[in-house]
């Protein structure tokens, strides 16, 4: 069998571990060959590919962040207008199965290809952990580790200067990183997109903290957080070429509001792409490796139109339709656990 793979959408730690696992499993278990397309769907359209071998170089990418294949985002309209080119390129490369590694957008593309007769298997990735049907995506644990480390560091400087720190983390639609890093880092308040905030309540919670004798505060804010309607003015920054709302600056806005109403010394730290870079954690290396092995085996069993997912302790394959049905948001029960520790 000849397997093709590609990595698409925002990068995350663990992508190379999946590629390595695919190449090794295909070569060693099945005597199959692997070709990688560069820069996500774009490489498939442009027929930009490289043969991947189970050599020393592939073995060593386990610990490397990013993706050796490169990644990119392609507008769904361009993608869909090129079905025949995609099919022709896959036929030309004698590809029997395509393993697409990506987040929600990529997996939607994979499902559309599968619906149109392309033999595809999905592997879910994203630091955001917002892909449905899988308990976790790889990349998330690494991002949470980076954000937690940053919060740990901010505690000491915040306390020394008696300041309130707003820490803005990634999370466009969901607050998984904010919630987990906030919990792990002992944040005094966490703001997530799933729960529209009222800045006066956050302010009161900080005031209560200071009245109790505490002299600093840490508030973690997901970049996609939104105020409860009518509670705070927010400029509309419009949408990008993919129709995504332009984000960034919510931490700063909340901080300015707290500073204005209380006079506290407030600072904002935006973690940004630091959360996506660097080496994967051990958890992400293991999950990514397991996904890669299982996806390759599923390809050899002909389970096309499916995606590997983590369910409890086990890796399973489920139809891609289950994975892309909607975004996986933070369950309120888990947010309430965090709330119990606010202040
Ligand atoms: O989906 C992953 C993610 O890191 C989001 O958390 C973030 O909003 C977005 O990608 C940033 O995208 P870009 O790298 O295009 O700025």
């Amino acid at each position: 069998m000849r397997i093709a793979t590609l990595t698409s959408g925002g990068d995350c730690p663990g992508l190379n571990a999946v590629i390595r696992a695919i190449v090794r499993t295909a070569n060693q278990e099945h005597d199959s060959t692997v070709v990688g397309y560069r820069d996500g769907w774009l490489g498939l359209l442009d027929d930009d590919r490289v043969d991947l071998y189970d050599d020393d170089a592939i073995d060593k990418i386990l610990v490397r962040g990013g993706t050796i294949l490169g990644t990119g985002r392609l507008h769904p309209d361009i993608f869909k207008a090129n079905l025949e080119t995609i099919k022709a390129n896959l036929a030309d490369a004698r590809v029997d199965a395509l393993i697409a590694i990506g987040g929600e957008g990529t997996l939607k593309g994979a499902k559309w290809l599968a619906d149109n007769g392309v033999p595809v298997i999905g592997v879910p990735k994203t630091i955001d952990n917002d892909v449905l049907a899988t308990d976790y995506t790889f990349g998330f644990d690494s991002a949470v580790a980076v954000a937690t480390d940053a919060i740990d560091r901010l505690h000491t400087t915040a306390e020394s200067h008696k300041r309130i720190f707003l820490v803005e983390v990634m999370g466009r639609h969901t607050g998984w990183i904010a919630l987990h890093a906030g919990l792990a880092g002992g944040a005094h308040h966490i703001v997530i997109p799933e729960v529209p905030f009222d800045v006066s309540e956050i302010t009161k919670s900080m005031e209560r903290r200071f009245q109790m004798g505490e002299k600093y505060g840490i508030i973690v804010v997901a970049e996609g957080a939104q105020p409860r309607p009518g509670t705070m003015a927010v400029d509309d920054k419009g949408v990008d070429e993919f129709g995504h709302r332009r984000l960034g600056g919510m931490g700063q806005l909340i901080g300015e509001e707290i500073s204005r109403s209380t006079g506290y010394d407030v600072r904002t730290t935006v973690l940004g792409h630091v959360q996506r870079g660097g080496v994967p954690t051990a958890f992400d290396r293991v999950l990514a490796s397991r996904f890669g092995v299982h996806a390759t085996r599923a390809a050899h069993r002909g389970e096309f139109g499916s995606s590997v997912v983590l369910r409890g302790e086990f890796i399973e394959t489920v139809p891609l339709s289950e994975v892309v049905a909607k975004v996986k948001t933070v369950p309120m029960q888990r947010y309430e656990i965090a709330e119990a520790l606010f202040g």
Side-chain angles (χ1 to χ4, degrees):
M1 186 177 227
R2 185 151 165 82
I3 292 184
T5 190
L6 56 82
T7 53
S8 176
D11 74 333
C12 74
L15 287 167
N16 286 325
V18 183
I19 296 169
R20 171 183 180 267
I22 292 170
V23 175
R24 301 202 84 175
T25 309
N27 282 195
Q28 294 180 18
E29 269 188 14
H30 305 277
D31 211 15
S32 294
T33 57
V34 180
V35 58
Y37 284 97
R38 294 193 182 92
D39 303 335
W41 298 124
L42 211 56
L44 193 50
L45 257 62
D46 294 346
D47 198 24
D48 184 4
R49 56 184 148 103
V50 56
D51 284 317
L52 300 171
Y53 302 101
D54 182 16
D55 55 15
D56 193 45
I58 279 288
D59 192 25
K60 290 201 166 70
I61 62 173
L62 173 65
V63 300
R64 207 163 124 185
T67 161
I68 58 161
L69 290 175
T71 187
R73 291 194 172 98
L74 187 66
H75 197 285
D77 292 347
I78 302 175
F79 179 69
K80 290 183 177 174
N82 282 282
L83 179 62
E84 291 317 313
T85 309
I86 291 172
K87 283 185 169 175
N89 287 345
L90 288 170
D92 188 49
R94 293 174 292 103
V95 169
D96 304 298
L98 171 65
I99 300 179
I101 312 165
E104 192 216 354
T106 304
L107 297 171
K108 275 188 178 150
K111 180 185 178 300
W112 184 81
L113 282 184
D115 290 346
N116 283 280
V118 178
V120 189
I121 293 188
V123 174
K125 70 91 208 156
T126 168
I127 63 164
D128 294 343
N129 195 41
D130 60 356
V131 176
L132 199 65
T134 186
D135 291 354
Y136 288 100
T137 50
F138 63 87
F140 172 63
D141 189 63
S142 303
V144 168
V146 171
T148 303
D149 179 59
I151 295 167
D152 288 348
R153 288 166 190 275
L154 291 172
H155 270 282
T156 58
T157 180
E159 187 167 21
S160 304
H161 286 268
K162 302 173 188 60
R163 284 173 170 160
I164 292 177
F165 264 85
L166 281 292
V167 190
E168 188 177 299
V169 299
M170 281 186 169
R172 169 171 289 281
H173 306 292
T174 63
W176 287 101
I177 299 176
L179 187 79
H180 279 227
L183 265 172
H188 305 118
H189 207 98
I190 302 170
V191 191
I192 63 173
E194 291 88 335
V195 184
F197 66 88
D198 181 340
V199 72
S200 69
E201 286 173 8
I202 304 173
T203 306
K204 276 189 205 123
S205 146
M206 287 301 120
E207 283 175 330
R208 270 198 302 276
R209 206 176 136 70
F210 277 61
Q211 280 155 15
M212 300 285 285
E214 300 294 347
K215 296 199 166 46
Y216 79 104
I218 303 280
I219 303 168
V220 177
V221 181
E223 60 179 347
Q226 286 297 308
R228 224 176 275 161
T231 57
M232 195 172 102
V234 179
D235 285 343
D236 185 354
K237 295 183 180 160
V239 293
D240 66 15
E241 60 188 297
F242 296 97
H244 295 147
R245 200 161 40 89
R246 284 186 211 283
L247 301 176
M250 196 52 77
Q252 181 72 26
L253 280 181
I254 296 173
E256 282 168 9
E257 195 55 42
I258 294 174
S259 172
R260 193 169 26 248
S261 56
T262 62
Y264 293 149
D265 194 5
V266 180
R267 294 289 188 277
T268 303
T269 298
V270 180
L271 296 186
H273 292 79
V274 168
Q275 294 159 95
R276 284 217 319 239
V279 299
T281 57
F283 179 89
D284 280 340
R285 291 179 209 182
V286 172
L287 181 58
S289 298
R290 293 174 75 196
F291 275 172
V293 171
H294 278 265
T296 310
R297 289 179 179 167
H300 285 87
R301 289 194 300 268
E303 292 177 15
F304 302 122
S306 68
S307 173
V308 291
V309 294
L310 175 70
R311 290 217 163 136
E313 284 300 309
F314 302 101
I315 309 291
E316 297 177 7
T317 47
V318 299
L320 275 162
S321 53
E322 276 187 33
V323 175
V324 300
K326 61 183 176 103
V327 163
K328 184 184 71 181
T329 49
V330 168
M332 279 313 101
Q333 196 192 31
R334 197 166 321 182
Y335 186 68
E336 282 160 16
I337 296 293
E339 270 184 320
L341 302 171
F342 285 180

